[in-house]
Amino acid sequence: MLATLVPLQAVVFSLVALGAPLVVLTRDPLRQALVNGIYGVTLVLLFVVLQAPDPALSMLVVSGIAYPLVILAAVARVRGERRSKETSDD
Amino acid sequence: MSYLPYAVAAWLCLVGLAGVATSKNLIHLAICLTVTQSSSYVLLLTVGYVKHGKAPIFKGVKLGTTAVDPVVQALTLTDVVVSVAVVALILALALDAHRLSGTVDPDRIADVSG
Amino acid sequence: MSWVPPLLVAIPLLAAAAVAGLDHVTPAPVQDALVIAASAATTAFAFVLLWHAESHEVVHWFGGWQTRGGVALGVDFAVGPLAAGMCAVIGLVVTLALLYSLTFLREAARLFDALMLVALGALCGFAMSGDVFNLFVWLELMGVAAYALTGFQVERLGPVQGAVNFAITNSVGGYLFAVGIALLYARTGALNLAQIGRTLSHGPAGGLVIFAMTLLFCGLLIKAAVVPFHLWAADAYAVAPAPVCAVLGGVMTDIGLIGVARLYWTVFDAPFGHGHAVGDVLLWIGLVTAVLTGVMAFLQRHLKRMLAYSVLCHIGIMLAGIGLLDSSGLAGAELLFLAHALLTAGLFFVAGILHVDHGLIDELHLRGRGRGCWAPAAAWFAGTIGLVGTPYVGIYLGHGLIDEGATELGRGWILALLWLGSALAGAALLRAGARIFLGWGDAGDPLLGEPFEEDPLERHVVRPLLVAVALTAVVLGVAISVVPGLGQRAEYAADRFRDRAGYAASVLHGRPVAPPPSLPVTIRHTSLESLLYGGGATILALGLALVGLYLRRLPRTVSAAAARTLAPPVRVLRELHSGVVGDYVTWVAVGTALFGGIWALLLRG
Amino acid sequence: MTRRLRIGVLAPALLGLAGLFAWAIAGLPAFGDYRGPYGYVLNRIVVPLRHSTNVVMGTTFDVRGIDTMAEEFILYASVLGVTLLLRDEASAGRVERRTRRLRSDAVRLLGVVMVGGGLLVGLWLVAFGYITPGGGFPGGVVLAGAILLLYLVGSHRDYHPFRNEHVLDPFEGIGAGGYVVTGLAALASGMPFLANLFGHGQTGTLASAGSIGILNGAAGLAVAVAMLLLFAEFLETYVVPLEPEDAGS
């Protein structure tokens, strides 16, 4: 049965399957951004083993550049403001 | 075993949905949405995969060599861009919600109901 | 090959790019003119397309990638009279909304205009597309534009909440749709609707096709906001600026239904067309939506929220018409769409005028404030009567055709439910009109819940323009039922839309359709039943409106008993509409699993 | 609903969906048994017809070019939307610009090298996208990222001219609009919308593939500008914190 699914592919599929709940269960957005980056890398690997270099490249720039930048900026903003509010409350 | 890839795609969809429905933070929720969407790329690429197929790029490769489906790859490219656009919008809304109410908890920004 | 279909997408999108690109180098009036001209030109081309589509299916293969040996290579737009008619009304409503917003929305006007034009292009593209992935792309495009437009008033939390709920629920819908596409592609190896339909017409359907259909339909029904996917719509439409509401409520919600109809008659009619299971589920969803949202409309005091539920009520009626799976039902849904789009837009425009005039949007706060505003009052009452379906006014003709379809299929019992829904929604609007423009009714109403926090609009508007736009929309909408020949043409359009073999032959092999019969140019008559129901619904709406106005003057025993029986269900209903997006996504999962389960039971084997 | 109730309603629904998924998957062909025909046909005909060795890009920019046009507009609409939604933050927050200069010359040199490298990689991805993997989208994102690096290695004043949306908007319009204009040009010359206009050149070189190159370039430009604007909108909200007393208003 394994003939159709190369072991390497099976491993990468399993990594992706493990990554998704980790992303969802990481409730702290900053940490989640990091976990999501790793999940993105597993998706890139998956695309590579599925012979899809173009989607892999797009996924790489998205999970390596686009998502981190906007997510980190949003997280920083939300946290920074909360901190400045807390200090002004004191 | 040869159905594992499809099961993974279904799993991603359900896990993402569960995350979206129970999220307490709009930024977290936006990322969960991308997990749900990753289900559709994984499914598309899985569906178009051909045993022993090469990437559909014929530079230095003889035409007619077995290659995987290029269509699903084109669709995936579009899908990835869609997800970036949607995430950016939801994050912008999250920042607005935070500016106006001091929270990014979707349960607590419910201003109107009924 | 016709050159018209791509223009309906290219003109608004190019104008959208130009508007933002030319900002700061062109004076504002020039840009305003450009925006209106682009939208008007799109509308005009839609009418040209309607004229062409009357005699043949207008097919355009992008990039010239035509079919080879029956295999579709590229993406096509395939337009019959029904889709062309949709585009024409979409163009009209967007043009009216843009005219209205000339003075109504001056702040951030460029961004607004560009997003409205993007939405216009996406709506037209969706109505014409003949490729399932292309449908998804237009769906996402109109969504992205609409989410941003909903959150336009960023200085308040309500719009942000509305936009968040809208964006998240509809994105989930979009992703379900995408998974459905992937499943269908795995089975058929095609994305062209006609080709998928042909592949599915032989071979067993099985769980794969049933679940793919469930995902595709649920994705679209989330956009169409039917129960239990409807919860986001009231939050979004209550807070978006009036011209945005006119477009969202008037045409964008309905587009999801057209997607369902298109997919059914090009694709899923092939494996499931021998039975009624698919249609019956749609019919029941429609019935429940019509009645439930009719009740919800009656419980609102926020004018735009009330209008939002009224939109959903008519969506339910249209879905029921589509669910009948015959030509009368589909033609009725199309005509109902035409009238409902224009009337709803007109009513949202009036609500915007009231908001600007008085800074209020709550029915009870506005009580008696509209006395003497004859033109807006006339528009409001005419629009409301048109939405109830009084014989030969507004949605009546469409409703009558749905009635005929139901009666022919031996399902006369659904008529009462459909008319009840439109009477309830109409009663709410009539009650609000009487309270605002005539000063009737009590100052308070325990049924309507807590007052809304008002959000005054301080705008310098050219009021006559707003009133003229509102009146134009309402007059056009009211007249739909008495346009000579329209009813017969809608039926012919529905026949063409339902002809799967004919559609596939024109798309895949370029074969012309049978020449259209010569159709009479007379006002289509409706059955006696429709006349009675239409009249009855009008009387019921008037009666209910009066009860709503004078709830406190009912004898104490009656009102106490009513309060005791009504209060608990009303409370439950309100609690279900919680405004929390996590709940909405949960209902999406429940609805999808439920409909999928029902279809699995009915269609298996 | 309370959270507990919500989870109680959600769990059975997801289980139901999982069951339906399983049922659907049982009807799928086994992994690797793609039966076509769409993909196989394109793999055979795109290279001889369009001289684009990368069939995926040929599909993206030619065979299914209309999808990609809509996709560019999705990105465009998203940028407009984010600008619209964050306009209050931008106008309220222009209080003080935090400037953080990196002192170490070595780090700055590294940065300059990375900026240069990023620009080259981005341009290369855009330019050769229809021959080898790459294309407008990843190229555009990398370009945007490289330009953003200028901001990270220098003071962010260096980034300022690019951040000014009045400079960028025309480019954004040109990128997305250019796509439509290319389509309309074909229509005006009597061909279908987005038909490939030019000669197809030599397979495997930059001049191959006709309009694919133009559309790819337009997409690259549109994506780069869109990403820059998006980054700018979000970073603006990051580097320019509101005064505490403004924060709640």
Side-chain angles (χ1 to χ4, degrees), chain C residues 275-286 323-325 411 599 602:
Chain C
H276 251 107
V278 178
D280 283 348
V281 174
L282 295 177
L283 177 68
W284 273 103
I285 302 172
L324 291 172
L325 302 185
R411 300 179 177 199
W599 272 319
L602 294 177

Side-chain angles (χ1 to χ4, degrees), chain C residues 431-522:
Chain C
R431 182 195 72 206
R435 201 169 248 145
I436 294 166
F437 294 108
L438 305 174
W440 292 8
D442 302 325
D445 184 341
L447 206 60
L448 298 187
E450 300 298 311
F452 279 86
E453 198 187 326
E454 294 287 356
D455 167 28
L457 279 184
E458 284 171 20
R459 301 270 164 80
H460 299 285
V461 294
V462 180
R463 202 166 169 282
L465 174 69
L466 303 191
V467 175
V469 170
L471 277 173
T472 310
V474 169
V475 167
L476 288 175
V478 163
I480 289 282
S481 278
V482 289
V483 176
L486 191 60
Q488 294 87 343
R489 274 157 191 78
E491 281 181 295
Y492 167 68
D495 280 335
R496 282 263 302 274
F497 195 90
R498 289 177 60 236
D499 179 10
R500 183 162 51 82
Y503 176 86
S506 358
V507 170
L508 297 178
H509 302 290
R511 289 199 200 107
V513 296
S518 76
L519 296 166
V521 187
T522 52

Side-chain angles (χ1 to χ4, degrees), chain D residues 206-241:
Chain D
L206 260 186
S208 69
S211 300
I212 296 181
I214 296 176
L215 296 177
N216 187 39
L221 177 65
V223 170
V225 177
M227 283 293 154
L228 265 181
L229 283 170
L230 271 185
F231 295 159
E233 283 295 336
F234 279 96
L235 288 171
E236 178 78 352
T237 64
Y238 168 51
V239 291
V240 187

Side-chain angles (χ1 to χ4, degrees), chain A residues 13 16-17 19-21 23-24 36 39-40 42-44 46-47 50 59 63 67, chain B residues 5-6 8-17 30-46 76 79-80 82-84 87, chain C residues 171 175-176 178-179 182:
Chain A
F13 268 111
V16 171
V23 176
V24 168
N36 190 47
Y39 175 65
T42 62
L43 281 178
V44 171
L46 180 69
F47 293 0
L50 289 178
M59 197 67 218
S63 60
Y67 282 158
Chain B
Y6 302 122
V8 171
W11 168 246
L12 299 183
C13 180
L14 298 176
V15 167
L17 268 182
I31 301 175
C32 291
L33 265 182
T34 69
V35 173
T36 311
Q37 196 172 17
S38 66
S39 162
S40 63
Y41 338 131
V42 171
L43 191 58
L44 277 172
L45 292 179
T46 306
T76 305
D79 220 3
V80 170
V82 169
S83 100
V84 174
V87 166
Chain C
S171 299
Y175 303 156
L176 294 181
V179 173

Side-chain angles (χ1 to χ4, degrees), chain D residues 66-202:
Chain D
I66 184 75
D67 284 350
T68 309
M69 185 177 104
E71 172 204 306
E72 294 314 318
F73 275 90
I74 289 175
L75 206 51
Y76 178 64
S78 169
V79 173
L80 295 180
V82 169
T83 316
L84 187 76
L85 294 172
L86 294 181
R87 70 188 189 280
D88 260 26
E89 309 237 350
S91 59
R94 291 189 200 282
V95 204
E96 178 203 356
R97 291 192 179 281
R98 226 195 277 159
T99 344
R100 275 191 273 169
R101 274 184 181 281
L102 287 173
R103 299 273 157 75
S104 154
D105 283 343
V107 173
R108 300 193 68 180
L109 184 68
L110 181 70
V112 171
V113 171
M114 281 174 67
V115 169
L119 287 175
L120 280 178
V121 169
L123 286 173
W124 180 78
L125 282 175
V126 174
F128 287 93
Y130 45 94
I131 303 167
T132 55
F137 180 73
V141 177
V142 170
L143 278 178
I147 295 172
L148 200 72
L149 259 183
L150 276 178
Y151 154 85
L152 291 175
V153 294
S155 77
H156 89 261
R157 228 176 272 121
D158 293 339
Y159 179 52
H160 182 75
F162 297 98
R163 211 215 77 255
N164 186 336
E165 56 272 20
H166 296 175
V167 176
L168 280 179
D169 265 1
F171 286 104
E172 178 62 1
I174 291 166
Y179 210 111
V180 186
V181 170
T182 315
L184 284 174
L187 204 61
S189 41
M191 289 193 273
F193 192 77
L194 282 174
N196 206 323
L197 273 177
F198 306 97
H200 304 317
Q202 183 76 40

